[in-house]
Amino acid sequence: MKLTPRRFADTIVLSVSGRVDHATAEAFKEALLGQLGTCATDQDRVVLDMSGVDYIASVGLRALMLASRQAKAQGGVLVTAALQPLVREVFEIAHFTLIFKTFPSVRDAVAEVSSAGLAAFEAAGAR
């Protein structure tokens, strides 16, 4: 599991890749929570790019739940994007689609959370 941050103005895209399972969930949780320090009212918005995640276990969902709670407690914005079919199915079964606003693409997510982020995203030619 790998978590790679990219900044686009006031938006941070955290690209997650690999499996989020029992072997990687604790590192995922720590990395994710560590990135949420500036995810607060009138500060950074965070988009989780899940396009590189092919599997997520319940311990991975727990890490996401903790991240969601932290972001909400800080008044921040945390959304998910580009879920692979299996991960989307897990999100739907676990009702995580009610917890996270989920978008079909990273671009759609960035556009929803920040116009400045979208302008920087498009200027960078990001995908």
Side-chain angles (χ1 to χ4, degrees):
M1 186 287 311
K2 185 176 175 186
L3 188 70
T4 306
R6 295 179 293 159
R7 176 174 287 282
F8 301 100
D10 61 354
T11 303
I12 298 173
V13 174
L14 297 175
S15 297
V16 187
S17 59
R19 296 171 58 92
V20 183
D21 55 20
H22 292 282
T24 62
E26 187 61 28
F28 173 65
K29 179 185 82 171
E30 290 178 17
L32 180 54
L33 294 178
Q35 290 288 329
L36 295 181
T38 60
C39 179
T41 305
D42 296 327
Q43 292 187 36
D44 290 331
R45 288 102 172 130
V46 177
V47 173
L48 283 175
D49 173 6
M50 303 288 284
S51 63
V53 177
D54 56 5
Y55 175 80
I56 189 163
S58 60
V59 292
L61 294 177
R62 182 178 185 284
L64 289 174
M65 175 65 77
L66 293 172
S68 174
R69 286 183 182 162
Q70 180 176 329
K72 284 181 183 171
Q74 296 171 180
V77 174
L78 175 64
V79 299
T80 57
L83 277 66
Q84 295 297 318
L86 179 62
V87 175
R88 172 168 289 290
E89 184 178 344
V90 170
F91 263 55
E92 289 170 356
I93 290 168
H95 299 288
F96 266 59
T97 51
L98 301 174
I99 297 167
F100 285 95
K101 260 188 142 174
T102 303
F103 297 89
S105 71
V106 173
R107 187 207 176 277
D108 291 340
V110 172
E112 175 72 19
V113 301
S114 170
S115 56
L118 177 61
F121 184 86
E122 290 183 335
R127 294 185 188 262

